[in-house]
């Protein structure tokens, strides 16, 4: 959100990692629970451009002027204007607005979750730390020795990261993860995860959001890169590892927190 411009006709945002203009997307998944069959039916993914709120407002006003306010109450609105509809669902949830958009209001029970991560993006790079942490305990040392495909971080490393974060030490886990990524790359595994997101998501999962002072976390994480040598930065770190800009942190403070899948 921090990369959008104050233009109501520009779909681009600036990527914080590479500084290039890009069109972000919202991926929508619907899980419909059947009480009669006692099972959950999952829909195919729906992808729509993620709109700058100024663009969304302009496009919504155009629709209302051409088709009238009643269009929002029609089920056909979802199919005829999917980009506007799903962006409205997203933004209404982010601003914590309880009023449901009419095509959804007829559902008996409706739960909307805005997620911070998309697990499908990790299919090649391996699961992030918070996902590994949620899984069953790691195998025995003997079984580990027999495994030949050690492409992910083990729970020992993850536990060390958690312990360091509990002690308000972010320099140690940043260096450790950079070294682990460097070793994995030597084995042909390019672990492309952002170190910032990897540590933050793990902390939120293992320690709990209520126990994390986000302001303090961001200040300490930013200070880490002042302590690293120039050689370390060039050798081990990537642009996506850098702390978010102040504008991004400000945007997060104004909206309802995102959830992890």
């Amino acid at each position: 959100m921090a990369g959008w411009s104050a233009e109501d006709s520009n779909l681009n945002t600036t990527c914080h990692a590479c500084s290039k203009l890009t069109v972000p997307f919202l991926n929508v998944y619907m899980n419909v629970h059947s009480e009669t069959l006692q099972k959950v039916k999952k829909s195919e993914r729906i992808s729509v451009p993620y709109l700058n709120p100024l663009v969304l407002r302009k496009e919504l006003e155009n629709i209302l002027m051409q088709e009238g306010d009643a269009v929002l109450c029609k089920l056909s609105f979802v199919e005829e204007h999917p980009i506007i509809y799903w962006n409205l669902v997203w933004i209404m949830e982010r601003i914590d607005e309880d009023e449901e958009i009419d095509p959804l209001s007829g559902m008996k029970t409706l739960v909307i979750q805005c997620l911070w991560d998309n697990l499908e993006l990790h299919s090649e790079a391996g699961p992030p730390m918070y996902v590994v942490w949620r899984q069953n305990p790691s195998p025995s040392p003997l079984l580990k020795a027999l495994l030949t495909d050690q492409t992910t971080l083990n729970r020992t490393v993850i536990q060390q990261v958690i312990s360091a974060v509990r002690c308000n030490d972010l320099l140690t886990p940043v260096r450790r993860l950079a070294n682990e990524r460097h070793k994995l790359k030597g084995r042909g595994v390019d672990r492309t995860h952002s170190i910032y997101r990897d540590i933050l998501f793990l902390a939120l999962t293992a320690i709990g959001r209520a126990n994390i002072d986000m302001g303090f976390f961001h200040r300490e994480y930013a200070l880490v890169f002042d302590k690293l040598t120039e050689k370390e930065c060039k050798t081990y770190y990537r642009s996506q590892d850098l702390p978010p800009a102040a504008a991004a942190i400000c945007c997060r403070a104004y909206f309802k927190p995102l959830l992890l899948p």
Side-chain angles (χ1 to χ4, degrees):
M1 297 180 74
W4 277 319
S5 62
E7 301 176 46
D8 60 9
S9 59
N10 189 350
L11 298 182
N12 292 320
T13 186
T14 303
C15 175
H16 77 280
C18 65
S19 299
K20 294 182 179 179
L21 293 178
T22 184
V23 177
F25 278 81
L26 289 176
N27 292 320
V28 181
Y29 300 86
M30 289 183 290
N31 297 336
V32 181
H33 178 71
S34 173
E35 294 183 355
T36 55
L37 299 177
Q38 291 298 310
K39 67 178 183 179
V40 176
K41 181 181 179 182
K42 296 184 178 181
S43 71
E44 295 293 328
R45 180 182 64 186
I46 302 171
S47 292
V48 296
Y50 182 17
L51 300 183
N52 178 332
L54 295 178
V55 176
L56 176 59
R57 175 180 174 177
K58 177 185 176 182
E59 295 301 320
L60 180 60
E61 288 176 345
N62 288 339
I63 292 173
L64 296 180
M65 289 178 62
Q66 295 173 11
E67 303 181 38
D69 296 355
V71 69
L72 294 175
C73 303
K74 298 178 180 178
L75 289 174
S76 59
F77 181 73
V78 182
E79 295 182 356
E80 294 175 359
H81 306 285
I83 297 176
I84 304 304
Y85 176 75
W86 290 115
N87 272 273
L88 280 174
V89 171
W90 171 271
I91 199 69
M92 295 284 278
E93 180 66 16
R94 292 303 311 278
I95 64 176
D96 206 10
E97 174 58 54
D98 294 332
E99 188 70 24
E100 295 171 356
I101 302 176
D102 276 297
L104 289 178
S105 60
M107 296 185 179
K108 185 176 180 181
T109 303
L110 177 66
V111 178
I112 299 174
Q113 293 182 325
C114 294
L115 303 182
W116 206 338
D117 194 21
N118 184 352
L119 297 181
E120 291 184 356
L121 300 178
H122 307 305
S123 57
E124 294 184 4
M129 289 194 296
Y130 79 93
V131 173
V132 178
W133 177 255
R134 287 174 175 171
Q135 295 170 351
N136 294 329
S138 57
S140 65
L142 176 60
L143 183 56
K144 278 186 178 181
L146 297 175
L147 293 175
T148 57
D149 185 23
Q150 292 289 321
T151 59
T152 60
L153 299 178
N154 61 56
R155 291 181 70 89
T156 301
V157 173
I158 295 175
Q159 183 59 63
Q160 290 172 350
V161 171
I162 295 172
S163 299
V165 173
R166 288 186 185 275
C167 297
N168 296 325
D169 173 16
L170 294 182
L171 178 60
T172 299
V174 166
R175 279 179 166 158
R176 182 64 189 272
L177 291 179
N179 288 330
E180 291 294 326
R181 183 168 64 188
H182 192 67
K183 288 192 293 184
L184 285 172
K185 190 173 183 179
R187 299 207 298 264
V189 179
D190 189 12
R191 196 170 190 277
T192 56
H193 303 79
S194 158
I195 290 178
Y196 162 77
R197 289 167 67 95
D198 224 4
I199 295 176
L200 176 60
F201 290 177
L202 176 63
L204 294 175
T205 301
I207 302 175
R209 188 184 296 266
N211 300 315
I212 301 293
D213 183 334
M214 296 294 284
F216 179 82
F217 180 93
H218 288 122
R219 287 194 299 272
E220 289 300 305
Y221 190 87
L223 289 174
V224 164
F225 285 84
D226 293 334
K227 300 174 183 177
L228 298 174
T229 65
E230 184 177 352
K231 182 179 179 181
E232 282 180 312
C233 290
K234 289 182 177 180
T235 305
Y236 297 108
Y237 299 97
R238 303 173 182 178
S239 55
Q240 64 261 38
D241 300 327
L242 296 174
I249 296 175
C250 183
C251 286
R252 293 178 191 174
Y254 276 94
F255 291 91
K256 183 178 178 180
L258 293 167
L259 303 174
L260 289 173

